[in-house]
Amino acid sequence: MTSLTHLQRLEAESIQIMREVVAETENPVMLYSVGKDSAVMLHLARKAFAPSPPPFPLLHVDTRWKFQAMYEFRDKMAEEIGMELIVHINPEGVEKDINPFTHGSAIHTDVMKTEGLKQALDKYGFDAAFGGARRDEEKSRAKERVFSFRTAQHRWDPKNQRPELWKLYNTRKHPKESIRVFPLSNWTELDIWQYIHLQNIPIVPLYYAAERPVVERDGALIMVDDDRMPLEPGEVPMMRKVRFRTLGCYPLTGAVESEADTLPAIIQEMLLTKTSERQGRVIDHDSAASMEKKKQEGYF
Amino acid sequence: MSPEALNEQRKKAVRLRLDGHTVAVASQRTGLSAPTVSAAWKAFREGGWAAVPVKPRGRTKGQGNTLGAAAQTVLWEALYGAPPQGMPGWSSAALADLVNVRLGLKLTQRAIEHWWETEGLLHAPWELNALAKKRTRAGRWFEKTVAPTFSLYPSAEQRWQGGVRRVAHPQRALYQVYLHGARGKLYMRCYERPPAAFDYQAVWASLPRPAAVVFHGALFSASQTLTEWLDRQTTLTVVAVPADIGLEHR
């Protein structure tokens, strides 16, 4: 009997989770944030249901502040794969022109991401949503189950989670309740990169080091992605060789200086790094346990 | 086997290991012994690609030259301050003169350059004219942008190249603006924060005119102040080096 490598075991587990969701729920959807975890999740979904396309649409909750390269990549991928792509932008946020600069990261995230996601799930009646969160990203994600149950108001109760012994998932839920499902829960950032390398999965070029215009904000390197980025008086962005370990809204995502412009170089960098990729996310530093609060309010 | 050839094989062995091949296969394909392959892999795991080559033989250049604390203090204060009147930055000669005046210590320009090298401040000029023959992005950029500009500034004294960079220094917040004049002579200024529009204006205002500067490392088009100021200059042309054409700091 041949034994599976750890990546093959993770792949098999994720595929089993996806098939379980499709079998047990009525209207699933895959949250597609265009990042590397989404890329892996999408690849796994295509494998899980091949030769048919995955039997659920992709949902991108857009904030209007993602990197331009992400929008280009998202549209290219949707076209290539032939899956339905639903893009939802919170219309109330658009009306009030919510943005990370004048309203701050907390309000921007709450209105454009959390509320936007809840609106989209309600609007289309999705009862299960795949997300690409991993346990190694952040402490509140570490304790969340693979099948994370949400109330009709999309709230998460971290003290009331179901056991998942022997990878048996209890999918029973009350009407109007929904499930956030995290097939990549047990993957690490290094696993993701190795899998991308081995399976040759396309990812947004921002993950590779390149010279990009950046400014420093509270110790973080923020890329000047378009002319909406307000500069300090007299400030001139510097071109520095940077890459992103995580991708979100560009004013809230810190770059890291790096020479890693190939996948092996990124993997090697991962082997040496001691910090979580979410160190680069401004929204995670709002307050103590801010991610847990956001998750309780419905953030994915 | 020469150190260079050995290093190439060690890197090849690491690449094979990264691709999932066993030590035995990597050893067979590179001709290295299994312990050497394991040692190269271990070095890569602990220190990245930079750790894979074997240690260079002999002493490194300038290893024996160390400047005293007093001289270094004078040099850092000077670099963070304004350069001598009429100069775009501090040259090694100007710094050697300053140390002589302040401390009575006679240093050669080479000693200053060794110190620059130790502190990560030394920068070599690009061979811009060599780009003319290259059929790359850099070659096309030179042909379309730099060559027409240089044709307006025929003298070597009028042609400058430079840039701005953050230097990863263990003790200091260090941003450096460097300029190479005729025959690659290096001038520099240092800052504790990223240089602002007025810093660049001060550097360029001190250049002998007329002048053309090929400059790397800043997105000037994002600064309205700087763009307007540059538009008003009739005897100064600044050509920004595009990102990722291989003209990086070295």
Side-chain angles (χ1 to χ4, degrees), chain A residues 197 210-211 213 216 231 234-241 257 264-265 267-268 271-272, chain B residues 18 44-46 48-49 165-166 175 196-197 200 216-220 222 243-244 248:
Chain A
H197 180 43
E211 281 191 350
E216 292 183 23
L231 299 176
E235 188 173 35
V236 182
M238 280 179 69
M239 300 296 294
R240 285 160 73 169
K241 195 156 188 181
E257 290 207 282
I267 291 169
Q268 184 259 312
L271 289 167
L272 300 176
Chain B
L18 270 176
F44 172 77
R45 288 289 303 254
E46 290 171 359
W49 287 109
R165 61 176 176 166
R166 191 184 80 87
Y175 297 85
Y200 292 111
H216 175 270
L219 186 69
F220 297 133
D244 290 319
E248 290 167 12

Side-chain angles (χ1 to χ4, degrees), chain B residues 81-153:
Chain B
Q85 189 73 28
M87 291 177 77
W90 286 95
S91 64
S92 55
L95 286 171
D97 287 345
L98 181 79
V99 173
N100 191 11
V101 169
R102 292 266 185 91
L103 303 174
L105 181 65
K106 284 191 176 173
L107 293 176
T108 61
Q109 290 183 42
R110 287 291 293 160
I112 299 290
E113 284 159 13
H114 280 316
W115 179 75
W116 279 350
E117 194 170 4
T118 313
E119 300 296 327
L121 295 170
L122 198 63
H123 186 277
W126 305 298
E127 290 172 10
L128 283 177
N129 288 324
L131 294 178
K133 292 172 189 161
K134 292 199 173 164
R135 302 179 76 177
T136 57
R137 262 189 75 205
R140 286 191 292 277
W141 165 74
F142 180 85
E143 200 177 322
K144 285 189 178 169
T145 315
V146 183
T149 307
F150 276 3
S151 68
L152 303 173
Y153 298 86

